[in-house]
Amino acid sequence: MARRHEEELKKAEEEMRAMKDEERKKVEEQRRIKKEREEREKLTLVEREQKNERRAAAIKYLDDATKGFNTLASAEYEFPDGHFLLRCIQPEAWKSDEEKAQPGTVLAATTILLGGQKILLHWGLRKGRRGGWSAAPEAAWPPGTMRMKDGKAVQTEMQPLEGGMAKALEIKGLPEGTSGVLAVLHLPEAEQHMQWLGKPGGGDMYVEVAETRSSLGLAKHVSKVAQEMAGWIVEREMEYGSWTLMHRYNYGSELVYSTCGSDEYAWAMMYVWMRYSQLRVLDWQRSYNTQPRQLSHAQMTFVTNLAKKYRELGSLQWEIRLAMSCVGRGGSAGNGQQIRDDILVILRHDRSWGHGSMMEDWHQKLHNNTNPDDVIICEALLVFWRGNGNIQGYRDHLNGNGVTRERMAAYQQPVRAEPTFNGHIKDTMIWELEKYGRLLRSVHLGTDLNESYDRVRGYLDGDTRAKIDGYYYARNSNHPLQDQLWAAANSRQGLMKQLKGGVNDDQARDLLFLDIALDADVRRVVESGKAYFDGSIASTLSALRATALALSLSEGDQETATQLRNIDSELDKVSQKIAHTGESHEVGLRCAAAMTNAKNILTSIIDRFHRSMDSISKGLGRAFNAETEIVDIFVEEAIRGSPAFVLSMLLRKAEPEVRRIAHLGPYSVISPFHEETTGPVYTYAHLKECQGATVPKGSVIIADVCGGDEDVPDRVGYVIIGSTVDVLSHVAVRARNEHHGLIACLDSDEMSRIKALKGSTCKAKLEGDNFHIEVVEHSQESSEALKQAGKVMKRVKSKGLITPPSGDLKASRMLSDKNLPEKASGSLVSRVSSGNLPDFESIMKRTPSMSIIPEKQLVASWAIRPAAYTTELVGSKSLNLQRLLALEISDWIHIPTSVTIPNGALKKVLNDEANAELKKKFKELRTTANRSESGDVSFCPELRKCIMDLSLPDGLAEALRGVLDELGCEDIDGSLDGTWKAVKGVWASLWNERAHLARRKLGLTVEEVDMAVLCQKVVDADYAFVIHTHNPITGDRDEIYAEVVVGLGETLVGNAPGQAMGFTVKKGEKLQPEIKSFPSKAFALKGGKYIFRSDSNAEDLEGFAGAGLHDSIPIEENHKVDIDYANEKIVNEETFRTTLMTGIARIGMEVEEVMGGFPQDIEGCYKDGEFYVVQARPQV
């Protein structure tokens, strides 16, 4: 027993030792593996660093070789052992389209070295859009080139660059007509599988060598990728003998991975192509029989690829989902085969359905080429059977959905007969056709809600499934519209959350189809008008919130998505305020501001549709021989079918109620004019279209869109725009100067009514806020239009809500009431001798002739401080700042450090020897301008370019360094180039089209207009404001009108959509601001560092078109910040808002007093509790 025990102990000890040995070996093995992995990773890291270092050397070679040239096209391909880069360059001197159509020089570089092995570039030429390989002529061969036996290619050995980190070669002298170079790499000494390297993923490497215009007439802004893609698509659709939906979807899949990338226009091309297919513009079957399983497989592969790209490309999701909405889901081969099998089951129910019957014809079609028409045919058959053989219902359903008898007869397997009714199988046929219809919809339609939901129900998370069930319940129980909208929006939020989670590509595809189906179902609910909607303000705001949130989900990573969520947040705050305090004028104004913001967001979405798709839809439509009507309304219908349209419809529903609460009529007066006028009515899509036109006195111009900076023709009586702009915008200032009315019509129906008066002679008059227009004599066109006025399509009006540059300088103390003066007046102690100050009345009375500077070089310094300012050297912006400094305005109002580049400096630069050729060209162009016809602005871009091409004289370079030093710049050398570019940009704006037209209108020449440049440091403002010390709307000299925006003033005085916060204040001891509008600009601008302002003498001349004709340019581009008004102090904190408005009013009163009582146009800003005045000028 004892021995046995000892043996067991011994055995146990041996096992323990064995286990320890095993564990030790295991640990040692793990250490060895870890060490090897670390060494491998270290080696990989070293190799990656070396690979990147070699790539940097190759890029340096290309960049050095590109100096003095423009890059036409480039391509880069990555391989495990290195990179291959191609670049085509053309001389900078090539400017014309003819020159750019000539082949450039091709640079090729590779970092694939493989121990110094020989690397040959195997290359050939492509000629024309579809050309294959052809050998280059010997004149284009680099040294050492050999012709290949096939006669279609040549090979050239690539030579090592200095340092041995890359190899390269240069190809030049390519023959005319060459569109590109095709290439592969040949490594004859490498292992067999490495000897030929083409484009990763398949195909040839390629670089374009000449700028070619699309034969489809696509606009220049359409990317080269999309233009090339269009050619390939048109070739297949219009030139291939055999082509079907299956081929289309297979080729679509190929383009998704080989071509589209992250190119916005390529994805627009994909959508337009698929939409034309959906509209039956393109053949669904041409000389080829496709089995249903083949089609369904191609279809499913295509949409799965689209869904995968949807998850990868956030900023392009809006286009990809549009493309998916045009294509059915498809299915596995089994789904396709089931289409063939199940029709045979149906046929067995009536043996009389033999050859020549409708059912047999349809069976043959389904066997050979099923397509989305079959869904319509199945639905029509259900109408027929449910109606006991209702043949007219059958015909109406087919025709109503575009499946005409002629179309059915034209199928490869035609369907000519009509169905026959057999009463005893009615119930069976209805059951069979309903089941068969579900099968057809599952393959051909991706946006059927029931089918889409059933497909994903099994793997939806419980919360999302409950939300979708809630939507079904709300819709089927006819809950109020806002409840249905919220149920759908919440459902879609759940789907988007799951789409971003751990689902596979197939699940992502089906989730996305369900999202599209939900969105489409909501659109049908809203468009039908059947859902209960009481129209109350609470219901209205709730519906708008839900719709804005839903649209944000469709916008992906576009900036509009954040802006729409901010709309939801702001309307939520307003709703809470209504719930606590009830309706009020202030609440109405906040609602109106949020709606204006929403309209502007819709405008940016609409503009994106047009920019991306307009040219493409027209080019492809013409190439596809589409009907003109389809092509003309393509983009408009795309917008109407998009998620944005629901929001536009609800905004229209909401507008009357919101305007009622805000006490707003259909018209909003921007610039009043109270005289009665008589003249013809002109209508335009965009106000800029009428610039330079000649119209009779008293004309009424009506435009849907106003950008805020247009210059309207002389002698106009009233301008009516379909959007609002800021009262202090350029177009508003000019309206007051030129004595015509500027009025926004914010009621879509009223806008349609007055636009129908096009061509008629009308009397027009403004009385208070009411605009009256009465027909004196109808035109034939207006008579017809008035008949159709009730049928005019409701459109979202483009809201370019705008205004010019402001806001910036240095900070000090915090804002509080105790820091503000009790009143605007007070003792003013001069800081400098009054002898240095120009007389203010002389500034106001300046005429252009006083400022003409001879061609001789200016004797003044390149840059001057305020003490040296005179009326001959600077404009009124600089002079007024000098005056404010000299007369010691209250110390709580801060004035920026300013330096000015004086009048005449541009001429001095032109006279510099280095700019002799440019001066000659400039004079020739200026002569052309002086002799041009009224309204001709064709020479303006070239004149601006002349100025932008000027070289920097040494003296001015040193002066600009001094300017930057004066403004506190820490990196003077690094900022010099940007400063010089900004200064030239200000000078070049003398030749802005609007500036030229305004000079012509007043009879001025450009020689009579001086342009100084006021240089200032930018204060990164919390808020910026513009003040008019005499109310420009009412003309009341005792009332201030001011506008405030979040961030820098460029959104207030530039072309930023939306309204500022507008308010009035009666001058006096007790200031009580009255809000006229809440802010609705979607974004603020921040940053900028230093700004260079135009300071021309012309802007302050009586009768001139007003400010904003010339540019003010920051040294660094401002960046956008989305505004969430729900959390913005100026909107939500009444005490802060009142203190801010009171401070702004006191600035206006004090500056006006300092300036001798003359009404002032003041720009300023507020930062960290401090007020700043950036510029002041006489109010025109």
Side-chain angles (χ1 to χ4, degrees), residues 501-513:
V503 294
N504 61 40
D505 291 341
D506 290 336
Q507 292 171 333
R509 174 200 62 225
D510 291 341
L511 288 170
L512 186 52
F513 267 128

PDB file of all heavy atoms in Angstrom, residues 501-513:
ATOM      1  N   GLY A 501     -23.418  50.356 -37.159  1.00  0.00           N
ATOM      2  CA  GLY A 501     -22.908  49.338 -36.251  1.00  0.00           C
ATOM      3  C   GLY A 501     -22.369  48.127 -36.988  1.00  0.00           C
ATOM      4  O   GLY A 501     -21.964  48.191 -38.145  1.00  0.00           O
ATOM      5  N   GLY A 502     -22.398  46.990 -36.316  1.00  0.00           N
ATOM      6  CA  GLY A 502     -21.761  45.781 -36.850  1.00  0.00           C
ATOM      7  C   GLY A 502     -22.665  44.942 -37.720  1.00  0.00           C
ATOM      8  O   GLY A 502     -22.985  43.798 -37.364  1.00  0.00           O
ATOM      9  N   VAL A 503     -23.131  45.483 -38.821  1.00  0.00           N
ATOM     10  CA  VAL A 503     -23.933  44.698 -39.763  1.00  0.00           C
ATOM     11  C   VAL A 503     -23.080  44.402 -40.991  1.00  0.00           C
ATOM     12  O   VAL A 503     -22.173  45.160 -41.346  1.00  0.00           O
ATOM     13  CB  VAL A 503     -25.220  45.432 -40.179  1.00  0.00           C
ATOM     14  CG1 VAL A 503     -26.159  45.581 -38.998  1.00  0.00           C
ATOM     15  CG2 VAL A 503     -24.902  46.802 -40.777  1.00  0.00           C
ATOM     16  N   ASN A 504     -23.370  43.293 -41.657  1.00  0.00           N
ATOM     17  CA  ASN A 504     -22.615  42.962 -42.859  1.00  0.00           C
ATOM     18  C   ASN A 504     -23.173  43.722 -44.058  1.00  0.00           C
ATOM     19  O   ASN A 504     -24.181  44.435 -43.954  1.00  0.00           O
ATOM     20  CB  ASN A 504     -22.611  41.444 -43.106  1.00  0.00           C
ATOM     21  CG  ASN A 504     -24.007  40.883 -43.308  1.00  0.00           C
ATOM     22  OD1 ASN A 504     -24.858  41.485 -43.969  1.00  0.00           O
ATOM     23  ND2 ASN A 504     -24.267  39.706 -42.737  1.00  0.00           N
ATOM     24  N   ASP A 505     -22.537  43.570 -45.209  1.00  0.00           N
ATOM     25  CA  ASP A 505     -22.920  44.346 -46.392  1.00  0.00           C
ATOM     26  C   ASP A 505     -24.341  44.037 -46.839  1.00  0.00           C
ATOM     27  O   ASP A 505     -25.077  44.940 -47.262  1.00  0.00           O
ATOM     28  CB  ASP A 505     -21.936  44.090 -47.537  1.00  0.00           C
ATOM     29  CG  ASP A 505     -20.563  44.662 -47.263  1.00  0.00           C
ATOM     30  OD1 ASP A 505     -20.452  45.556 -46.387  1.00  0.00           O
ATOM     31  OD2 ASP A 505     -19.582  44.215 -47.892  1.00  0.00           O
ATOM     32  N   ASP A 506     -24.745  42.770 -46.783  1.00  0.00           N
ATOM     33  CA  ASP A 506     -26.101  42.409 -47.192  1.00  0.00           C
ATOM     34  C   ASP A 506     -27.134  43.046 -46.266  1.00  0.00           C
ATOM     35  O   ASP A 506     -28.168  43.551 -46.706  1.00  0.00           O
ATOM     36  CB  ASP A 506     -26.273  40.879 -47.191  1.00  0.00           C
ATOM     37  CG  ASP A 506     -25.484  40.210 -48.306  1.00  0.00           C
ATOM     38  OD1 ASP A 506     -25.204  40.888 -49.311  1.00  0.00           O
ATOM     39  OD2 ASP A 506     -25.138  39.022 -48.155  1.00  0.00           O
ATOM     40  N   GLN A 507     -26.858  43.016 -44.969  1.00  0.00           N
ATOM     41  CA  GLN A 507     -27.783  43.615 -44.013  1.00  0.00           C
ATOM     42  C   GLN A 507     -27.812  45.142 -44.187  1.00  0.00           C
ATOM     43  O   GLN A 507     -28.888  45.762 -44.118  1.00  0.00           O
ATOM     44  CB  GLN A 507     -27.364  43.249 -42.594  1.00  0.00           C
ATOM     45  CG  GLN A 507     -27.547  41.768 -42.265  1.00  0.00           C
ATOM     46  CD  GLN A 507     -26.926  41.390 -40.923  1.00  0.00           C
ATOM     47  OE1 GLN A 507     -25.979  42.019 -40.463  1.00  0.00           O
ATOM     48  NE2 GLN A 507     -27.452  40.338 -40.297  1.00  0.00           N
ATOM     49  N   ALA A 508     -26.650  45.733 -44.428  1.00  0.00           N
ATOM     50  CA  ALA A 508     -26.595  47.181 -44.641  1.00  0.00           C
ATOM     51  C   ALA A 508     -27.438  47.571 -45.848  1.00  0.00           C
ATOM     52  O   ALA A 508     -28.159  48.578 -45.820  1.00  0.00           O
ATOM     53  CB  ALA A 508     -25.144  47.621 -44.843  1.00  0.00           C
ATOM     54  N   ARG A 509     -27.348  46.784 -46.909  1.00  0.00           N
ATOM     55  CA  ARG A 509     -28.151  47.051 -48.121  1.00  0.00           C
ATOM     56  C   ARG A 509     -29.637  47.069 -47.782  1.00  0.00           C
ATOM     57  O   ARG A 509     -30.369  47.994 -48.158  1.00  0.00           O
ATOM     58  CB  ARG A 509     -27.853  45.980 -49.168  1.00  0.00           C
ATOM     59  CG  ARG A 509     -28.717  46.035 -50.414  1.00  0.00           C
ATOM     60  CD  ARG A 509     -28.692  44.690 -51.120  1.00  0.00           C
ATOM     61  NE  ARG A 509     -29.244  43.626 -50.289  1.00  0.00           N
ATOM     62  CZ  ARG A 509     -28.692  42.414 -50.142  1.00  0.00           C
ATOM     63  NH1 ARG A 509     -27.571  42.098 -50.756  1.00  0.00           N
ATOM     64  NH2 ARG A 509     -29.291  41.513 -49.373  1.00  0.00           N
ATOM     65  N   ASP A 510     -30.104  46.041 -47.059  1.00  0.00           N
ATOM     66  CA  ASP A 510     -31.535  45.928 -46.788  1.00  0.00           C
ATOM     67  C   ASP A 510     -32.003  46.966 -45.770  1.00  0.00           C
ATOM     68  O   ASP A 510     -33.136  47.461 -45.848  1.00  0.00           O
ATOM     69  CB  ASP A 510     -31.869  44.510 -46.321  1.00  0.00           C
ATOM     70  CG  ASP A 510     -31.712  43.486 -47.446  1.00  0.00           C
ATOM     71  OD1 ASP A 510     -31.717  43.914 -48.620  1.00  0.00           O
ATOM     72  OD2 ASP A 510     -31.579  42.289 -47.150  1.00  0.00           O
ATOM     73  N   LEU A 511     -31.149  47.330 -44.817  1.00  0.00           N
ATOM     74  CA  LEU A 511     -31.493  48.406 -43.890  1.00  0.00           C
ATOM     75  C   LEU A 511     -31.624  49.734 -44.627  1.00  0.00           C
ATOM     76  O   LEU A 511     -32.520  50.538 -44.345  1.00  0.00           O
ATOM     77  CB  LEU A 511     -30.437  48.520 -42.786  1.00  0.00           C
ATOM     78  CG  LEU A 511     -30.411  47.410 -41.733  1.00  0.00           C
ATOM     79  CD1 LEU A 511     -29.169  47.540 -40.861  1.00  0.00           C
ATOM     80  CD2 LEU A 511     -31.666  47.448 -40.867  1.00  0.00           C
ATOM     81  N   LEU A 512     -30.737  49.948 -45.572  1.00  0.00           N
ATOM     82  CA  LEU A 512     -30.785  51.186 -46.339  1.00  0.00           C
ATOM     83  C   LEU A 512     -32.030  51.230 -47.222  1.00  0.00           C
ATOM     84  O   LEU A 512     -32.686  52.276 -47.348  1.00  0.00           O
ATOM     85  CB  LEU A 512     -29.511  51.322 -47.189  1.00  0.00           C
ATOM     86  CG  LEU A 512     -29.328  52.633 -47.957  1.00  0.00           C
ATOM     87  CD1 LEU A 512     -29.479  53.830 -47.041  1.00  0.00           C
ATOM     88  CD2 LEU A 512     -27.960  52.657 -48.625  1.00  0.00           C
ATOM     89  N   PHE A 513     -32.391  50.114 -47.818  1.00  0.00           N
ATOM     90  CA  PHE A 513     -33.613  50.072 -48.608  1.00  0.00           C
ATOM     91  C   PHE A 513     -34.839  50.352 -47.726  1.00  0.00           C
ATOM     92  O   PHE A 513     -35.781  51.029 -48.157  1.00  0.00           O
ATOM     93  CB  PHE A 513     -33.771  48.719 -49.308  1.00  0.00           C
ATOM     94  CG  PHE A 513     -33.205  48.694 -50.699  1.00  0.00           C
ATOM     95  CD1 PHE A 513     -32.306  47.713 -51.084  1.00  0.00           C
ATOM     96  CD2 PHE A 513     -33.575  49.650 -51.633  1.00  0.00           C
ATOM     97  CE1 PHE A 513     -31.784  47.683 -52.376  1.00  0.00           C
ATOM     98  CE2 PHE A 513     -33.062  49.636 -52.927  1.00  0.00           C
ATOM     99  CZ  PHE A 513     -32.162  48.650 -53.290  1.00  0.00           C
TER     100      PHE A 513
END
